[in-house]
Amino acid sequence: MPGLILFLSGLLLAPLLLGVTVRTKAAFAGRRGAPLFQQYHDLVKLLRRGQVMSGTTTFLFRVAPSLALVVTVSAAALVAPSIVSPGWGFPGDFVFLLCLLGLARFFTVSSALDTGSSFEGMGASREVLYSALSEPALLIGFGVLVRVSGEMSLGGMYGGLGSGEWLSAGTALCLVAVSFFIVLLAENSRIPFDDPNTHLELTMVHEVMVLDNSGPDFALITYGAALKLWVFASLIVNLFLTALGGSSFQYIAWFPAGMLLVGVLVGTVESVMARLSLLKTPHLLAGAGAISVLAFILSTRFLQ
Amino acid sequence: MTAYLDIILVALILSDFILLGSGRLGNCIRIAAWQGIMVGLLPIATADAGFSFRIAALGIAVVVLKGFVFPRLLNRAIRESASSREVKPFVGYTTSLLAGVLALSASFWLDGRLSFPLHLESAIVVPVSLSMMFTGLFLVVARRTAVNQVIGYLVLENGIYALSLAIVRDVPFLVELGVLMDMFVAVFVMGIAIYRINMEFDHMDSNRLAKLRG
């Protein structure tokens, strides 16, 4: 039951997280910024619009946005209840989570290639490059959690972590959180990797792949992107919530506060950092991988 | 106290990673300075047995030298030689990071095979200092500019210092000061050498120094 609450609230509140990020950026720039619920208005506006399909596209372009959203919702369903119900999931489901995220990416990338536009092909190639670098970082990070908690499923992982584990291997867990955060920025096309505000095709990653989508399909894509950010953020928030301990309802109470913090953090990073040049972004992701490996080595040492 | 020690050691490894992955000389010097400060704090964090004047004086001397004097000397060398502010690596940044991770794994493996007959303050102090030594050597070999080779040398020395702190807690004060003095002279001389090289050859690309042979 608490798991269901977390999942449904995630579906409902995911666009709000983006709103928080946008407001944080506005505050840094000394503006009032868009309303917190602007994303919802945008979604409604897009849903009401008609849809234009390019004549060169095939059925793949038609189904890809819906499929990508379905897969992302499944990923959210896998992650959201894990903090409150330790029995949730199955051994090795973190690999399945990566697989789901990869599948969503596959649909987006293939629909971008389907349009035949050279810009979208460029974005697709960048997206695949980033994911190839961010997946090892994520996987090794999960490996650390498996090693520290001694459990193989997402639910068990977060259930198996407690203040004792944080005392003995807290440094390793913090490093995992840092690595996850870098991956979050890369996977959701946030600032050091990609600027979600620009519409300059030469530098965009995610936006450039969806240039040809319009109307309801674009609403699905926008919502899917918000949900993906929510999934990644909840991975990090769950990790830190295990340090607090407590009952599942305390978790539910703390969870929104944690998400708010992540939203503000993303906004802060976007305000104080410049976008890295395209050639340098892989180094940052490789750094995330290195941090994950470091955390793994440390966890083997701390838990002897 | 072990918790502080572990945090400092992890920060040392992270600073190694940043050094391996960053392309600006000024950035590298700043990170090396931070690393020097953290290394200087190490003896204070390990001082479980008792906080003596000797340990405090040593810590302060290291922090001042490595954190403030050396970076200033290096920055002056760069400014006066008006050379390029880029690292110009032989080995790319991502490959360098990979090498750093490999060095780290190798030193943890090596540490598992070594057995020290004494009680260590932290489980990771030996492998971390070993990996710092490897990283320092790698920076000396894999970077083109002379300033970066000095930085690699500093990282190497930081690793040796951390290892010596871990293994022989009671190095005579004078020996430590002597090592610091040597380093100071080394960095000073290298700074002048960089300046001279630049005056003569309009660059400080050590790769092209091969042409000095007649």
Side-chain angles (χ1 to χ4, degrees):
Chain A
M1 186 59 193
L4 194 64
I5 297 176
L6 276 182
F7 172 55
L8 290 180
S9 65
L11 289 188
L12 206 63
L13 298 179
L16 194 60
L17 187 59
L18 275 179
V20 170
T21 304
V22 169
R23 276 309 270 272
T24 314
K25 282 170 78 175
F28 265 96
R31 291 180 282 115
R32 257 185 65 221
L36 278 176
F37 292 93
Q38 183 61 42
Q39 282 283 321
Y40 295 93
H41 296 304
D42 287 351
L43 285 175
V44 171
K45 180 187 74 185
L46 285 170
L47 281 174
R48 279 206 204 125
R49 278 190 179 166
Q51 198 155 342
V52 182
M53 289 279 180
S54 154
T56 59
T57 55
T58 61
F59 86 102
L60 191 66
F61 183 74
R62 260 156 251 259
V63 294
S66 341
L67 282 177
L69 180 63
V70 167
V71 176
T72 314
V73 170
S74 325
L78 192 63
V79 172
S82 56
I83 179 84
V84 284
S85 29
W88 181 253
F90 49 90
D93 58 359
F94 60 93
V95 181
F96 182 56
L97 172 68
L98 289 188
C99 168
L100 285 176
L101 293 171
L103 201 60
R105 186 178 307 118
F106 170 76
F107 287 130
T108 319
V109 165
S110 38
S111 95
L113 290 175
D114 190 43
T115 58
S117 142
S118 49
F119 275 142
E120 299 206 14
M122 209 165 59
S125 118
R126 285 173 195 160
E127 172 91 0
V128 173
L129 168 69
Y130 286 178
S131 71
L133 289 167
S134 67
E135 257 175 30
L138 263 186
L139 208 55
I140 299 170
F142 277 125
V144 178
L145 299 189
V146 167
R147 177 140 192 128
V148 174
S149 66
E151 295 278 346
M152 285 293 278
S153 71
L154 277 172
M157 244 181 247
Y158 290 125
L161 294 173
S163 42
E165 279 76 14
W166 273 91
L167 268 184
S168 55
T171 336
L173 294 177
C174 281
L175 287 176
V176 170
V178 171
S179 165
F180 278 8
F181 187 70
I182 298 177
V183 171
L184 174 148
L185 294 175
E187 289 273 335
N188 294 289
S189 324
R190 307 311 298 186
I191 255 186
F193 296 92
D194 178 19
D195 193 345
N197 290 332
T198 60
H199 277 264
L200 176 67
E201 291 91 339
L202 289 172
T203 58
M204 291 193 292
V205 181
H206 180 259
E207 292 292 318
V208 78
M209 290 196 299
V210 297
L211 277 178
D212 277 47
N213 293 90
S214 56
D217 266 0
F218 192 57
L220 295 185
I221 290 171
T222 318
Y223 179 68
L227 198 60
K228 191 177 174 191
L229 180 62
W230 181 273
V231 168
F232 273 96
S234 56
L235 283 179
I236 300 170
V237 171
N238 284 354
L239 181 59
F240 281 114
L241 282 185
T242 57
L244 293 174
S247 70
S248 50
F249 283 99
Q250 273 170 310
Y251 279 140
I252 293 183
W254 279 108
F255 186 77
M259 293 304 261
L260 188 71
L261 217 61
V262 172
V264 171
L265 196 61
V266 172
T268 312
V269 168
E270 298 208 349
S271 310
V272 300
M273 270 188 90
R275 193 180 160 283
L276 287 177
S277 85
L278 206 61
L279 290 174
K280 281 187 184 150
T281 44
H283 306 157
L284 191 53
L285 274 177
I291 291 174
S292 283
V293 173
L294 170 61
F296 191 78
I297 293 176
L298 287 179
S299 72
T300 62
R301 192 48 63 108
F302 285 146
L303 292 178
Q304 264 177 357
Chain B
M1 277 313 215
T2 322
Y4 293 125
L5 188 58
D6 283 344
I7 289 172
I8 292 182
L9 289 171
V10 170
L12 285 176
I13 304 182
L14 289 181
S15 65
D16 274 357
F17 284 166
I18 301 176
L19 276 177
L20 285 170
S22 93
R24 315 282 300 176
L25 266 185
N27 222 347
C28 284
I29 292 174
R30 204 170 319 126
I31 298 293
W34 275 109
Q35 197 179 46
I37 292 176
M38 286 186 291
V39 162
L41 292 179
L42 265 184
I44 299 170
T46 47
D48 262 347
F51 189 77
S52 64
F53 171 74
R54 196 177 70 86
I55 291 175
L58 192 62
I60 290 170
V62 170
V63 166
V64 168
L65 265 186
K66 290 187 180 169
F68 299 97
V69 179
F70 290 173
R72 187 148 300 173
L73 284 175
L74 287 177
N75 273 327
R76 205 186 61 182
I78 292 184
R79 198 174 55 240
E80 288 189 358
S81 62
S83 54
S84 151
R85 303 283 155 103
E86 294 203 19
V87 166
K88 295 186 195 159
F90 286 119
V91 183
Y93 301 115
T94 309
T95 323
S96 303
L97 264 177
L98 205 65
V101 171
L102 276 182
L104 187 70
S105 325
S107 34
F108 269 87
W109 174 80
L110 200 63
D111 177 59
R113 318 217 80 196
L114 297 170
S115 58
F116 288 103
L118 43 95
H119 168 72
L120 294 174
E121 297 274 342
S122 156
I124 59 170
V125 61
V126 174
V128 167
S129 35
L130 281 177
S131 90
M132 280 170 76
M133 281 144 79
F134 289 141
T135 310
L137 271 179
F138 182 83
L139 282 177
V140 171
V141 176
R143 296 288 185 262
R144 210 177 291 240
T145 51
V147 170
N148 222 270
Q149 291 171 350
V150 179
I151 290 174
Y153 166 73
L154 283 177
V155 172
L156 176 67
E157 208 282 332
N158 283 346
I160 296 172
Y161 181 77
L163 191 66
S164 77
L165 269 179
I167 297 179
V168 242
R169 289 290 312 284
D170 287 319
V171 186
F173 191 47
L174 273 178
V175 174
E176 292 282 9
L177 277 189
V179 171
L180 273 179
M181 189 64 204
D182 274 358
M183 284 190 56
F184 176 73
V185 172
V187 173
F188 196 69
V189 169
M190 278 190 266
I192 295 171
I194 289 168
Y195 179 66
R196 290 287 168 210
I197 291 171
N198 204 65
M199 285 290 100
E200 293 296 321
F201 298 102
D202 297 327
H203 62 79
M204 52 172 188
D205 184 341
S206 59
N207 190 33
R208 289 196 271 167
L209 280 185
K211 285 181 191 155
L212 277 178
R213 291 175 303 185

